DNA sequence: AACGCTGTGTAATAATATAACATATTTAAG
DNA sequence: CTTAAATATGTTATATTATTACACAGCGTT
């Protein structure tokens, strides 16, 4: 399992930025923010994001095309993610629910397909926005 | 609840196309296919897709930016979707599992947020690709 | 008839993401 | 140590996905 120490310069810069935000960041907003650090092209951002997703440091919120840091130290691989998304303020929170995770991990469809990964996004209106 | 009969010409053309495919179609591939029917611009496709998603006739596969018809007559609103996606051949199947649906429908996070919708995508390797 | 709502058609552009190429750095094996 | 493989970099160009803005049409309501 790859540790943060082994991340490259670009990967560190981008992970730092995402970790400082408690909300998902979009690739081109990241690009804008890291230009002062010498990262000039979209591809440099996307390459770092791809790696960070792969090692589980960040997750992609598929319905929003945005990236958020994973705060769960156990979650070292991006294979099982659950998010809560407010459709009004767009606030995103990662959900860790043992029972739900168990249920999803053990889920088998009727074709017997084995799943190595899942992504679940819940949508609603958060307390602040009600 | 809106019935298919009330769909407009563009909406019908695009729904027909998606229903004929058992796999998700991308917006620009749809555009290409319906040009012969007089639909010329991306926006015409996206507008129809938006409506069809809203009334539950089709679903968007968020991780693939593609659209698939909903074969479940009960599923008239795009509020609760579960898909199986093969990461090798990209085959996508909608999953209807009563127990899982129940579990997800009843899920409440520890902040007491109420969810009106969810989207779950399972990833793995299908039987053909193993 | 005037309004609100929904849809249409068109042009332009924004936002998201990858291909292709040349080069550098790190890692592991011989 | 050196060679090969794997991974990362920097840059340019381009592909793909999606929306804004504007003018107007059709329909049901009041």
């Amino acid at each position: 399992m790859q540790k943060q120490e082994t991340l490259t310069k670009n990967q560190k810069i981008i992970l730092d930025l995402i970790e400082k935000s408690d909300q998902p960041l979009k690739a081109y907003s990241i690009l804008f923010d890291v230009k002062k650090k010498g990262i000039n092209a979209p591809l440099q951002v996307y390459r770092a994001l791809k790696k960070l997703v792969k090692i589980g440091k960040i997750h992609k919120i598929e319905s929003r095309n945005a990236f958020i840091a994973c705060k769960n130290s156990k979650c070292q691989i991006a294979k099982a993610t659950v998010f809560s998304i407010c459709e009004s303020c767009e606030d995103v929170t990662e959900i860790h629910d043992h029972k739900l995770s168990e249920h999803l991990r053990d889920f088998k469809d009727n074709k017997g397909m084995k799943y190595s990964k899942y992504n679940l996004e819940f949508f609603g209106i958060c307390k602040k926005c009600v």
Side-chain angles (χ1 to χ4, degrees), chain A residues 17 26-36 39-45:
Chain A
L17 184 67
K26 304 202 144 214
Y28 276 72
S29 122
I30 292 170
L31 175 58
F32 179 86
D33 286 344
V34 299
K35 279 208 163 148
K36 47 182 170 285
I39 295 178
N40 301 300
L43 193 45
Q44 293 175 289
V45 172

Side-chain angles (χ1 to χ4, degrees), chain A residues 12-74:
Chain A
K12 267 181 222 155
I13 290 170
I14 287 170
L15 178 57
D16 278 356
L17 184 67
I18 297 175
E19 282 182 337
K20 270 176 200 140
S21 166
D22 70 331
Q23 285 301 299
L25 298 178
K26 304 202 144 214
Y28 276 72
S29 122
I30 292 170
L31 175 58
F32 179 86
D33 286 344
V34 299
K35 279 208 163 148
K36 47 182 170 285
K37 304 234 177 186
I39 295 178
N40 301 300
L43 193 45
Q44 293 175 289
V45 172
Y46 280 105
R47 284 198 282 226
L49 290 172
K50 187 176 179 181
K51 179 67 186 291
L52 293 169
V53 165
K54 194 177 171 195
I55 63 175
K57 288 291 185 185
I58 64 173
H59 303 299
K60 182 171 187 181
I61 311 298
E62 294 288 355
S63 67
R64 300 297 186 259
N65 301 313
F67 300 85
I68 194 168
C70 178
K71 268 112 187 171
N72 181 3
S73 59
K74 290 175 201 160

Side-chain angles (χ1 to χ4, degrees), chain A residues 87-130:
Chain A
E87 292 190 293
S88 168
C89 69
E90 291 291 324
D91 182 272
V92 173
T93 312
E94 186 166 356
I95 293 177
H96 297 285
D97 181 280
H98 182 65
K99 226 181 140 190
L100 180 59
S101 307
E102 224 170 38
H103 200 104
L104 293 171
R105 190 197 58 207
D106 297 342
F107 178 74
K108 272 180 194 135
D109 67 19
N110 52 21
K111 298 182 305 174
M113 182 162 160
K114 185 185 180 302
Y115 296 110
S116 55
K117 252 167 49 179
Y118 63 78
N119 180 61
L120 171 54
E121 298 179 10
F122 281 106
F123 304 92
I125 303 295
C126 75
K127 282 193 164 178
K128 280 183 204 160
C129 290
V130 169

